[in-house]
Amino acid sequence: MLKDISIIGVPMDLGQERRGVDMGPSAIRYAGVIERLEALGYNIEDLGDIPIAAKRIGAGKNSSHEHLKNLEEVAEVNSKLADAISQVVEKKRFPLIFGGDHSIAIGTLAGAAKPYQNLGVIWYDAHGDLNTAETSPSGNIHGMPLAVSLGLGHPSLTSIGGYQPKVKPENIVIIGARSLDQGEKELIREKNIRVYTMHEIDQFGMTKVMSDAINYLKDKTDGVHLSLDLDGLDPSDAPGVGTPVLGGISYRESHLAMEMLSEADILTSAEFVEVNPILDDKNKTANAAVALMGSLFGEKLC
Ligand SMILES: NC(=[NH2+])NCCC[C@H](N)C(=O)O
Ligand SMILES: [Mn+2]
Ligand SMILES: [Mn+2]
């Protein structure tokens, strides 16, 4: 992994309807992320936050796209984010992004995938985030970023970065899924996307799931992005998220997953999203995110 890391915060809350996720980047910084990574010998540059348009009252109600809430605003923020990440990549630094809701993955991937022919994506999440306006039960864009990155969705989202698709279905691995909408299940089947649901994690254990996932991606990808939605973890370990789903990945299993990724040394970018301090318990979720980043960047227990 690159020894120089550039942090970008994206206090985005327009991709969903719960207030507070815009405070995620601050909560993660307060949890001591910079000190933690510096202690591991990394050179950290914090580029601050991407500016976000003020949230409208009754988000989406007046939007021109009923099934794509805050479309224009979400698109604008994501194209700024994509540009910021491209600059980080050009400097040969590792982009580390803090959300914000998961709609920011649209911009992250637009920036992070550009230099790669076959960027792998590890989507660590209770959800597939594979909806389009047609399949979404909510109209919330945070449920759509992985579909957008495959080139499926509104053109003002899929065109960000000026190329598409950002990722190919065979280079995606979803880990921790336990809440998939009907249209998402159909897309997973149609595109043959590799998914490790909680069933596989329970049946085979995290060690087997992660080594399988890493082997699946290792030889065919030229870079790998980790998109970690904190709701992939069980709500008892990460209560500060807007769309919690029971029966998730434990804190310890998540540490193991991060340690295995660190060992495999395949990551070229990462993002931690959906931390909502208003819904949290004493910053537990941001603290978990930072502890997981410790493992991801090479912290050893002894
Ligand atoms: N990034 C997330 N937390 N996504 C949750 C999405 C929930 C649901 N599948 C939807 O599309 O509305
Ligand atoms: Mn999720
Ligand atoms: Mn998500």
Side-chain angles (χ1 to χ4, degrees):
M1 226 185 278
L2 292 171
K3 269 290 171 190
D4 298 315
I5 298 175
S6 295
I7 288 173
I8 301 175
V10 195
M12 167 83 94
D13 63 352
L14 300 160
Q16 50 84 61
E17 282 154 295
R18 311 277 310 250
R19 306 308 299 262
V21 69
D22 55 313
M23 299 191 283
S26 304
I28 293 172
R29 288 191 182 95
Y30 289 166
V33 65
I34 293 176
E35 299 78 352
R36 188 117 180 200
L37 298 181
E38 278 177 348
L40 293 167
Y42 290 89
N43 171 273
I44 312 291
E45 157 190 69
D46 187 349
L47 296 173
D49 291 345
I50 304 283
I52 312 290
K55 190 159 184 160
R56 283 195 255 109
I57 307 289
K61 296 264 160 42
N62 304 318
S63 169
S64 49
H65 301 273
E66 215 180 307
H67 299 291
L68 291 160
K69 292 175 185 161
N70 302 312
L71 175 63
E72 292 79 9
E73 294 85 348
V74 170
E76 192 192 314
V77 172
N78 275 302
S79 64
K80 283 188 194 144
L81 174 59
D83 291 344
I85 291 176
S86 286
Q87 288 178 25
V88 170
V89 171
E90 268 162 38
K91 289 190 286 183
K92 302 260 177 288
R93 300 180 68 96
F94 184 101
L96 177 60
I97 317 306
F98 303 152
D101 72 60
H102 218 162
S103 68
I104 69 165
I106 295 170
T108 302
L109 281 168
K114 213 167 212 170
Y116 299 98
Q117 289 301 309
N118 280 289
L119 185 76
V121 172
I122 298 176
W123 201 266
Y124 201 92
D125 201 325
H127 309 94
D129 295 343
L130 282 165
N131 276 308
T132 59
E134 291 70 39
T135 64
S136 171
S138 63
N140 292 331
I141 297 178
H142 81 151
M144 309 181 188
L146 195 50
V148 168
S149 304
L150 284 165
L152 305 169
H154 195 280
S156 64
L157 299 174
T158 55
S159 68
I160 290 171
Y163 69 105
Q164 59 171 302
K166 277 71 183 179
V167 293
K168 300 172 185 158
E170 63 271 25
N171 294 336
I172 294 173
V173 168
I174 299 174
I175 295 172
R178 55 195 183 278
S179 173
L180 296 168
D181 299 316
Q182 193 50 41
E184 297 184 297
K185 291 181 190 169
E186 284 162 17
L187 191 64
I188 285 166
R189 232 172 286 133
E190 182 196 317
K191 303 272 183 205
N192 200 17
I193 295 172
R194 178 68 64 102
V195 184
Y196 299 93
T197 67
M198 290 314 299
H199 174 84
E200 282 75 37
I201 296 173
D202 290 341
Q203 187 171 22
F204 304 114
M206 189 52 105
T207 311
K208 169 90 175 93
V209 164
M210 282 311 294
S211 58
D212 228 66
I214 289 165
N215 286 331
Y216 177 72
L217 292 178
K218 212 167 56 192
D219 297 327
K220 60 177 164 175
T221 58
D222 45 5
V224 177
H225 173 69
L226 169 67
S227 196
L228 191 147
D229 183 332
L230 269 294
D231 73 30
L233 274 71
D234 191 80
S236 58
D237 289 325
V241 297
T243 48
V245 188
L246 288 180
I249 308 170
S250 74
Y251 179 74
R252 282 269 22 112
E253 287 169 325
S254 299
H255 267 291
L256 176 67
M258 298 302 112
E259 286 156 359
M260 290 180 75
L261 281 175
S262 170
E263 184 96 347
D265 198 19
I266 53 172
L267 287 195
T268 48
S269 53
E271 71 195 324
F272 287 75
V273 302
E274 295 282 346
V275 172
N276 185 330
I278 286 188
L279 304 171
D280 207 3
D281 176 14
K282 298 188 185 131
N283 220 23
K284 188 174 185 176
T285 306
N287 285 328
V290 171
L292 292 177
M293 284 182 236
S295 291
L296 183 64
F297 287 96
E299 240 170 49
K300 294 275 183 303
L301 290 174
C302 77

